[in-house]
Amino acid sequence: MPTALRPIDRPRGPRAVLFALCLWGALLPPALAQSACPAAAWPLWDQFVQRFVQADGRVIDYATAQQHSTSEGQSYAMFFALVARDRARFDKLWAWSVANLAGGDIGARLPAWQWGRQPDGNWGVLDPNPASDANLWFAYALAEAGRVWREPRYTAQARTLLAQVAALEVADVPGLGPTLLPASKGFALSGSGSRTWRLNPSYLPVPLLRAFERLDTPGPWKAVGASFQRVLEGTTPKGFAADWVAYEVPEGAARGAFVRDAEKGDVGSYDAIRTYLWAGMTPRSDPLAPLLRRRLDGMAGALRSAAVPPEKVQTATGQAEGQGPVGFSAALLPYLRTLDARAALKAQQERVRTLLLEAPPGGQPPYYDQVLGLFGTGWMEQRYQFLPSGRLQLRWEKACPHQSAPTTTP
C-alpha cells in the first residue's frame, strides 16, 4: 500500500485548499478539472478585458478614430489569455482573428494588420498587409496553447502560420542573411542604384525565435536570430534601440550598411520600448543575452539621472526628450531586473503601482500602456517566464500540473 501522508506533511491553510482542489481535479474529466483548480486572479487582465475586449473576441483600441482592432492586439490578448488560463476567451480571440483578419482561412492568407470603421461607415479590413510581429505572437500563443492544453489543432495552425511567415515575410538580405521584414509588402525598396530594407527591431523577441527553432526545425529562425544580432550591433551606437532602422545595399554589392530611416529617422520611442522589454525577458543563459545587455544599456544609464523613462531618444546621439507614459515604466521592469539596476527598478515599480496597478477605474491608462503593463508586471509577478528553449513556463502549470502536457527539461 502507498504510504499515507503523516499529519506534519499535509499542506495547511490556503495551500491545503489549493492542494485538495488540484488533487480532486486530477480525478475529474477535463471539462470539470479546469474549474476545480482555478488560476490565480489577475486584476490587470480582468480590467483589460472589461475595457478593450468585446464578448466576441475583438480587441478594440478606442483611442483611434477608426475604433480599430489590430493583429498585434489580437495576438497579444491571446498570449495573455493563455497566461490567465482563460481558454474560452483564447478561442474567441483566435476565432475572431481568423474570421475577420484572415478571411476565414488561416491557411490561405496571413491576418491583415488593421480592421475597423471604413471611410464609408462600414466595418472591415482597413489595411490588408500582415504584420510579422503579430504573426509571430499568434504562432507562439497557438503553439504553447497546443502544448499545455493538449490541443493538436493549435499546434498545426501555429506551424501553418510560421510557414507563411517564412515564405512571405523573411527576406535573404545581402550581408544580413534571412531577415524578418515588418510585413510582406512595402519594406524592400529599390531605386537610385541601391536597394533598401526597412526593419523594426522590436518585432523580434528572442524567446519566440528559440521556440520556433524547435517547432519548425527546417525553418529560417536560427538564421533570423543571427540577422537580428547584426541589426542590433549596427544600430545601437549609444545603447538605445530605434523604432525603425534602414539597411542599404548598393546594386550588385554583397553587403550594405545601416543608414538613417528615411521615414522615421533614428528615433527610439513607442516601438523601441518593446525591444528593452523582450531583452529583459530573455533568459540569461541565451547566447544572445550578453549582446542584448551590452547593446541596450543606454536606457538603464538614462534612468540613473532621471525618475521617468524618456518618451523619445535620438539613437545616434543618445539625446533624450520628454517623459514616457507609465507603460514605458512597466515595459522596463524586466529589463531593469535583468541588469540589476535596483534603484531605477524600485522607482519604476512605484510609478507602475501608483498609476497602473492601483489606478482608479476612471484613471486607468490607455490601451498600449495596459498592454505593456500586462507584459511587464505579469513577468515580474512570475505569472509566466520564458525558458532557454523558448518554452513558456506558466504559474498555473505548477499549481495544476494535471491540466497541462507532461513537462520536459528545457
Side-chain angles (χ1 to χ4, degrees), residues 13-382:
R15 291 181 59 199
V17 176
L18 180 62
F19 177 83
L21 283 171
C22 289
L23 183 62
W24 177 49
L27 305 175
L28 293 174
L32 296 178
Q34 180 157 334
S35 60
C37 195
W42 193 3
L44 195 60
W45 167 244
D46 293 338
Q47 292 170 10
F48 183 85
V49 169
Q50 292 168 8
R51 293 187 67 198
F52 302 111
V53 184
Q54 285 188 167
D56 62 355
R58 180 190 169 204
V59 180
I60 309 171
D61 184 353
Y62 291 102
T64 61
Q66 306 98 331
Q67 303 280 285
H68 78 186
S69 299
T70 64
S71 56
E72 172 195 288
Q74 296 294 131
S75 65
Y76 286 171
M78 285 174 61
F79 176 78
F80 299 141
L82 175 60
V83 172
R85 203 169 66 85
D86 190 346
R87 183 167 180 176
R89 202 171 310 278
F90 182 96
D91 285 333
K92 288 182 178 180
L93 289 160
W94 180 230
W96 189 93
S97 302
V98 173
N100 294 279
L101 304 181
D105 186 356
I106 200 63
R109 69 181 74 177
L110 288 170
W113 89 267
Q114 187 184 37
W115 189 100
R117 184 187 288 115
Q118 298 169 331
D120 62 4
N122 292 319
W123 295 86
V125 170
L126 299 173
D127 188 337
N129 214 12
S132 59
D133 62 331
N135 296 329
L136 295 186
W137 279 102
F138 275 136
Y140 184 78
L142 287 165
E144 287 300 294
R147 178 181 64 83
V148 299
W149 284 325
R150 296 186 176 95
E151 178 51 76
R153 173 172 55 91
Y154 294 150
T155 308
Q157 290 171 329
R159 290 196 169 103
T160 296
L161 270 172
L162 280 183
Q164 291 192 75
V165 172
L168 300 174
E169 296 182 319
V170 174
D172 193 358
V173 179
L176 296 182
T179 300
L180 185 74
L181 301 184
S184 59
K185 298 177 182 178
F187 294 90
L189 313 172
S190 297
S192 302
S194 66
R195 292 172 295 166
T196 302
W197 286 265
R198 298 186 66 227
L199 309 172
N200 191 315
S202 75
Y203 278 26
L204 272 170
V206 170
L208 272 60
L209 291 180
R210 301 303 179 220
F212 299 151
E213 289 174 21
R214 295 184 300 110
L215 183 65
D216 179 23
T217 305
W221 310 111
K222 190 175 184 64
V224 167
S227 171
F228 175 64
Q229 176 176 344
R230 297 183 186 105
V231 170
L232 277 189
E233 289 173 337
T235 61
T236 54
K238 300 296 182 180
F240 293 98
D243 290 339
W244 290 87
V245 302
Y247 182 76
E248 187 175 79
V249 181
E251 225 29 87
R255 64 181 58 251
F258 290 99
V259 297
R260 180 185 174 93
D261 182 69
E263 291 188 28
K264 302 293 185 179
D266 64 353
V267 173
S269 187
Y270 286 86
D271 278 7
I273 196 67
R274 296 176 299 188
T275 306
Y276 308 101
L277 172 63
W278 313 144
M281 296 191 295
T282 299
R284 291 177 180 269
S285 61
D286 190 277
L288 283 180
L291 171 83
L292 294 170
R293 290 195 295 270
R294 185 174 69 253
R295 301 303 308 189
L296 298 173
D297 63 352
M299 188 62 75
L303 287 173
R304 293 191 191 105
S305 57
V308 175
E311 183 182 24
K312 298 179 181 180
V313 177
Q314 303 296 325
T315 60
T317 64
Q319 181 179 350
E321 60 180 273
Q323 292 191 339
V326 66
F328 281 29
S329 295
L332 292 175
L333 297 180
Y335 162 85
L336 294 170
R337 167 67 61 80
T338 298
L339 291 180
D340 198 27
R342 299 182 185 182
L345 175 61
K346 184 178 180 180
Q348 302 318 306
Q349 284 179 310
E350 179 61 21
R351 187 177 188 227
V352 169
R353 182 188 66 80
T354 303
L355 300 182
L356 180 64
L357 300 181
E358 296 180 5
Q364 285 291 320
Y367 162 81
Y368 190 49
D369 288 287
Q370 288 221 320
V371 166
L372 296 175
L374 284 163
F375 272 121
T377 64
W379 187 88
M380 291 291 290
E381 295 165 359
Q382 295 191 335

